Amino acid sequence: MRVRKRALTFIILSIIAITYIIRVVVVNKDAERTPVVIYNVGEVVDFGTDYIDTADEAIPGYAVQVLGYELVDTKELYDRYNMGEVEEYALKNTPFYCLLKVRFYNNDCDMGEQGGLMLSRYSLVGDNYMSMVSENVFCTMYPDMPGISFSLRQGTSMELELPYPITRNEGCTKSDMEKKAPMLEMSEFPNRKVLKAV
């Protein structure tokens, strides 16, 4: 009797598992993939109506251009911008930064402060890592800026270096990044737009 109950339980669980697997395969097979558009270094790319999380983030009229990047040891970065002594745990956790050189343009956005850039949305991506702009380091590098969220006057542009910390958690070394340069991800929907750094 017990053997029958176990066999029946096994058969029922197997049917449920197979049904679940078939459903997952069918759903994913027919799912629409977000188109990925890759731009070369130096190309000026319009934000258009693309966004990261919600359509409210779209800033039509703005554009961005990646000009290159520099890898800088954390201690050297702190020395360069007079940020004081680097604590030992910070050096161990974040051995270096990627300074991404970009130029933002406000070609035709007249939304004022309601439509602008939020640098925390634009991540640095590679094969096995993703990094967000360090707000503390950015504000130290650019003390006259209002923070990592700002807008530009219509018809103006601004060149900046965006500091992306590369931590040990990413498992990425300087030589990895020199072999395969990072990319700036500027949107995820309806198109995933990424810009090469070299």
Side-chain angles (χ1 to χ4, degrees), residues 127-144:
D127 288 341
N128 61 345
Y129 63 90
M130 181 185 92
S131 181
M132 307 304 284
V133 169
S134 169
E135 183 171 0
N136 292 338
V137 174
F138 181 83
C139 290
T140 302
M141 291 169 65
Y142 299 99
D144 296 335

Side-chain angles (χ1 to χ4, degrees), residues 85-98:
E85 284 297 314
V86 189
E87 295 188 24
E88 193 62 35
Y89 77 90
L91 276 176
K92 284 182 181 176
N93 185 47
T94 309
F96 65 99
Y97 280 76
C98 178

Side-chain angles (χ1 to χ4, degrees), residues 46-165:
D46 290 323
F47 280 88
T49 56
D50 295 320
Y51 56 90
I52 297 285
D53 293 317
T54 66
D56 295 338
E57 300 168 2
I59 46 174
Y62 273 84
V64 64
Q65 177 184 32
V66 173
L67 305 170
Y69 75 106
E70 176 186 8
L71 301 177
V72 180
D73 290 327
T74 300
K75 184 166 181 7
E76 181 186 338
L77 183 73
Y78 273 58
D79 290 343
R80 188 184 293 182
Y81 291 100
N82 298 317
M83 294 192 291
E85 284 297 314
V86 189
E87 295 188 24
E88 193 62 35
Y89 77 90
L91 276 176
K92 284 182 181 176
N93 185 47
T94 309
F96 65 99
Y97 280 76
C98 178
L99 297 180
L100 191 69
K101 297 173 182 152
V102 297
R103 178 170 285 281
F104 290 106
Y105 300 86
N106 179 347
N107 294 324
D108 193 30
C109 181
D110 60 359
M111 295 181 348
E113 292 179 8
Q114 293 176 344
L117 300 157
M118 291 183 68
L119 300 181
S120 58
R121 290 187 181 138
Y122 315 122
S123 55
L124 188 75
V125 295
D127 288 341
N128 61 345
Y129 63 90
M130 181 185 92
S131 181
M132 307 304 284
V133 169
S134 169
E135 183 171 0
N136 292 338
V137 174
F138 181 83
C139 290
T140 302
M141 291 169 65
Y142 299 99
D144 296 335
M145 294 290 288
I148 61 171
S149 298
F150 58 91
S151 57
L152 299 174
R153 283 191 211 101
Q154 192 171 357
T156 65
S157 68
M158 178 181 284
E159 188 173 317
L160 300 166
E161 284 186 316
L162 306 182
Y164 289 95

